[in-house]
């Protein structure tokens, strides 16, 4: 099965490489010496790409350019393989494990992070930095009022109400392998009497208008902050971790050690709640991602004077060897 997955991945990568060989936008920077950052097509990764770019611009005289709207982790990966970019603004451990690495999901966050960091360096000479401080994964959520009324703090608490709840979930989750509804029932030991598949963008409104009692959404969606929702702890660890980090080539970190310091400075600086608020400003208040990033960095004085915690300095020996 693993060999089949790897073969499919290789075919997919080859196809995407051909498909994108003439479509990446022209950029003024040279990825061999300057900074070229890949960002995604969704709000979160656009904001993160801007945060990384603006931090580097603020602290250095380096030329910085961006390739936005690369819509998947694999497209970011291919752009780095081709030498079009040298930094990816936001990558997720769970996506990388089953995507470009072609491995099985890992439920322990620390182990998942270590495997991704080791494999990215071993296979492609890339540095997968410590997490920004949040992960974006599936999460069951309820209104604050409902959580207080029924004393809910974790997913297993829902078992006592399983026959009374109206539960709205992402349609794709119902048949998803590994961490879908079937796996939920096996792990948590119960199923819901009334469960309603729907588009994931609709679940938050359905919860806020009390059409649903519980919904399954994404943990950093801006609507969570808008509607003051409560995320329930996945206490049985159904969902694999999707911790988010910047990724850079070892070559650019060697050429520009100041960039390495900047990326390390961002470790642990964006909590789940903060990312929800940043996403909300862009998605709900319609503020451009670049402005959202600028306001965030200005509010935090671009983290000037911040000492990088020793636990985050995982690449010091690697970069010394590289030099």
């Amino acid at each position: 099965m693993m060999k089949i997955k790897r073969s499919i991945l290789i075919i997919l990568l080859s196809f995407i490489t051909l498909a994108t060989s003439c479509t990446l936008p022209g950029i003024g920077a040279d990825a061999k010496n300057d900074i070229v950052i890949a960002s995604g097509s969704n709000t979160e990764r656009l904001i993160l790409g801007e945060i990384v770019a603006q931090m580097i611009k603020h602290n250095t005289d380096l030329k910085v350019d961006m390739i936005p709207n690369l819509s998947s982790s694999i497209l970011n990966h291919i752009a780095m393989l081709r030498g079009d970019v040298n930094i990816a603004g936001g990558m997720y451990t769970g996506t990388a494990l089953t995507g470009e690495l072609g491995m099985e999901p890992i439920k322990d966050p620390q182990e998942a992070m270590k495997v991704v960091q080791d494999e990215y360096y071993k296979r492609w000479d890339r540095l997968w930095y410590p997490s920004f401080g949040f992960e974006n994964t599936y999460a069951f959520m309820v209104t604050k009022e409902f959580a207080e009324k029924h004393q809910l703090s974790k997913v297993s608490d829902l078992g006592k109400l399983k026959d009374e709840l109206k539960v709205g979930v992402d349609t794709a989750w119902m048949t998803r392998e590994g961490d879908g509804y079937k796996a939920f029932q096996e792990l948590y030991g119960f199923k819901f009497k009334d469960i309603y598949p729907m588009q994931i963008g609709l679940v938050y409104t359905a919860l806020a208008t009390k059409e649903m009692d519980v919904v399954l959404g994404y943990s950093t969606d801006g609507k969570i902050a808008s509607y003051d929702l409560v995320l329930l702890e996945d206490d049985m660890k159904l969902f694999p971790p999707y911790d988010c980090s910047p990724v850079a080539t070892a070559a650019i970190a060697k050429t520009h050690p100041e960039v390495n310091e900047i990326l390390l400075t961002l470790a642990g600086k964006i909590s789940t709640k903060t990312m929800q608020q940043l996403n909300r400003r862009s998605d709900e208040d319609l503020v451009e991602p670049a402005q959202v990033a600028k306001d965030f960095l200005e509010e935090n004085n671009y983290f000037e004077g911040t000492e990088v915690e020793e636990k985050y300095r995982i690449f010091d020996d690697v970069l010394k060897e590289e030099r």
Side-chain angles (χ1 to χ4, degrees):
M1 181 63 71
M2 183 60 70
K3 289 182 179 178
I4 293 173
K5 286 183 179 180
R6 289 183 187 278
S7 298
I8 292 172
L9 180 61
I10 290 169
I11 293 168
L12 179 60
L13 290 177
S14 300
F15 172 79
I16 295 175
T17 300
L18 290 171
T20 60
S21 59
C22 298
T23 57
L24 287 178
I27 54 177
D30 172 11
K32 290 183 179 179
N33 300 298
D34 304 318
I35 306 302
V36 185
I37 300 168
S39 69
S41 57
N42 65 6
T43 298
E44 183 163 291
R45 289 172 61 210
L46 287 169
I47 292 171
L48 293 172
E50 285 288 348
I51 287 174
V52 171
Q54 292 181 35
M55 275 287 286
I56 295 172
K57 289 178 181 178
H58 179 81
N59 289 285
T60 75
D61 295 323
L62 294 171
K63 186 171 185 178
V64 181
D65 217 329
M66 294 184 68
I67 298 179
N69 299 318
L70 295 181
S71 59
S72 69
S73 176
I74 288 179
L75 284 177
N76 277 255
H77 170 62
I78 290 172
M80 295 187 93
L81 277 180
R82 290 172 31 140
D84 292 317
V85 304
N86 43 40
I87 297 177
M91 301 281 275
Y92 303 85
T93 52
T95 304
L97 278 167
T98 58
E100 49 270 26
L101 290 175
M103 302 174 73
E104 293 296 327
I106 297 174
K107 295 298 182 76
D108 180 78
Q110 293 182 341
E111 183 184 355
M113 178 66 74
K114 186 177 188 312
V115 168
V116 168
Q117 288 173 332
D118 290 346
E119 291 295 323
Y120 256 63
Y121 181 68
K122 181 172 67 177
R123 299 189 194 190
W124 302 303
D125 290 323
R126 294 181 203 162
L127 308 182
W128 185 292
Y129 283 82
S131 171
F132 285 113
F134 73 92
E135 65 169 325
N136 188 355
T137 186
Y138 273 132
F140 283 99
M141 55 194 76
V142 296
T143 63
K144 186 175 181 181
E145 176 187 6
F146 196 84
E148 292 176 350
K149 178 180 178 180
H150 297 283
Q151 297 183 317
L152 303 175
S153 63
K154 53 187 185 291
V155 175
S156 59
D157 291 338
L158 298 175
K160 61 189 177 185
L161 302 171
K162 65 183 187 300
D163 294 329
E164 306 169 29
L165 298 171
K166 291 181 292 182
V167 182
V169 301
D170 179 20
T171 301
W173 183 73
M174 293 297 295
T175 56
R176 183 179 168 106
E177 292 293 328
D179 61 355
Y181 191 36
K182 180 181 178 182
F184 171 87
Q185 294 174 67
E186 292 172 353
L187 186 61
Y188 277 95
F190 64 88
K191 62 180 180 179
F192 300 109
K193 180 180 178 182
D194 296 311
I195 188 164
Y196 302 89
M198 60 180 66
Q199 292 182 357
I200 196 163
L202 301 177
V203 300
Y204 310 97
T205 304
L207 187 60
T209 57
K210 298 185 178 181
E211 293 177 39
M212 296 291 147
D213 301 311
V214 183
V215 298
L216 182 69
Y218 291 133
S219 60
T220 59
D221 197 291
K223 293 183 178 67
I224 295 170
S226 297
Y227 297 142
D228 195 23
L229 306 181
V230 174
L231 302 186
L232 300 180
E233 177 194 352
D234 179 19
D235 51 313
M236 299 294 287
K237 307 299 181 189
L238 171 66
F239 302 116
Y242 286 86
D243 289 287
C244 185
S245 302
V247 176
T249 63
I252 205 66
K254 173 187 174 182
T255 303
H256 298 296
E258 64 272 36
V259 171
N260 177 61
E261 289 298 307
I262 289 167
L263 295 178
L264 286 173
T265 297
L266 289 171
K269 297 300 188 295
I270 306 175
S271 67
T272 298
K273 184 175 182 180
T274 297
M275 196 68 242
Q276 290 170 3
Q277 293 168 342
L278 297 178
N279 285 334
R280 174 189 177 180
R281 283 204 67 206
S282 188
D283 286 334
E284 304 291 307
D285 301 338
L286 304 182
V287 179
E288 287 294 321
Q291 186 63 47
V292 172
K294 183 174 184 289
D295 293 343
F296 169 73
L297 291 174
E298 288 181 347
E299 287 168 7
N300 289 280
N301 197 31
Y302 289 85
F303 301 104
E304 290 181 6
T306 301
E307 291 290 331
V308 176
E309 294 183 40
E310 206 57 41
K311 65 181 179 180
Y312 294 140
R313 290 196 169 279
I314 58 176
F315 300 125
D316 283 4
D317 291 340
V318 167
L319 292 176
K320 286 176 185 176
E321 291 172 7
E322 287 282 329
R323 296 190 186 97

